[in-house]
Amino acid sequence: MDGISGAGTPARSDPSTRGTLVIAERAIEKVASNAASKVPGVTGPSGGFLGLGARHSDTARPKADVRLNGLIASLRLEVGITYPAPLRQTSELLRQRVREEVARICGLDVRQVDIDIDTLADLTRSQGRRELA
């Protein structure tokens, strides 16, 4: 009956005959990056060319890299943290949120989340402008 039953609804098939789902590493990186960007005080790189002249922006997403071993993931994040946020607490919250979101959306066991804090961004200062007294 070609996988269709009765009134146009798909027939239930044996799970072993459904095939597999492959999630690209790039998709996992985007999920991790998006989750990281939602953590208060975490920023991502913005602008620049080949890494030169880049600065951090609270609207840019952090960079994420993933290494997979079956259904086990190891992540590396490159982030900026807004100054004067507490680094240890922000890092722990970042690890927790990224681990939970990648597990929830991608169905992976995230065993390791390495965080490279490459910038302490002071977003309260004006960008290249000074107030004259």
Side-chain angles (χ1 to χ4, degrees):
M1 215 179 176
D2 292 343
I4 304 289
S5 67
T9 56
R12 296 190 188 264
S13 61
D14 180 15
S16 65
T17 63
R18 293 185 197 158
T20 60
L21 173 66
V22 177
I23 301 172
E25 287 182 1
R26 184 71 186 125
I28 299 164
E29 290 169 351
K30 285 187 176 188
V31 169
S33 177
N34 190 49
S37 70
K38 294 179 180 177
V39 174
V42 173
T43 66
S46 175
F49 178 70
L50 297 175
L52 300 173
R55 59 189 188 287
H56 277 256
S57 165
D58 59 346
T59 59
R61 289 190 295 178
K63 287 185 178 181
D65 290 311
V66 65
R67 289 183 314 271
L68 287 175
N69 185 9
L71 295 176
I72 299 172
S74 296
L75 295 165
R76 188 174 136 269
L77 302 171
E78 290 181 37
V79 303
I81 294 184
T82 56
Y83 179 80
L87 299 179
R88 183 170 298 185
Q89 291 93 336
T90 303
S91 297
E92 286 306 314
L93 180 59
L94 178 59
R95 272 190 190 91
Q96 176 188 355
R97 294 261 176 95
V98 168
R99 184 176 280 132
E100 289 171 355
E101 197 71 358
V102 170
R104 184 180 71 79
I105 293 175
C106 302
L108 298 172
D109 181 13
V110 180
R111 297 270 173 97
Q112 181 175 342
V113 179
D114 293 330
I115 301 171
D116 292 335
I117 302 171
D118 60 6
T119 304
L120 290 177
D122 185 359
L123 299 177
T124 61
R125 290 186 356 187
S126 62
Q127 302 293 330
R129 296 183 179 183
R130 293 187 192 176
E131 186 175 315
L132 299 175

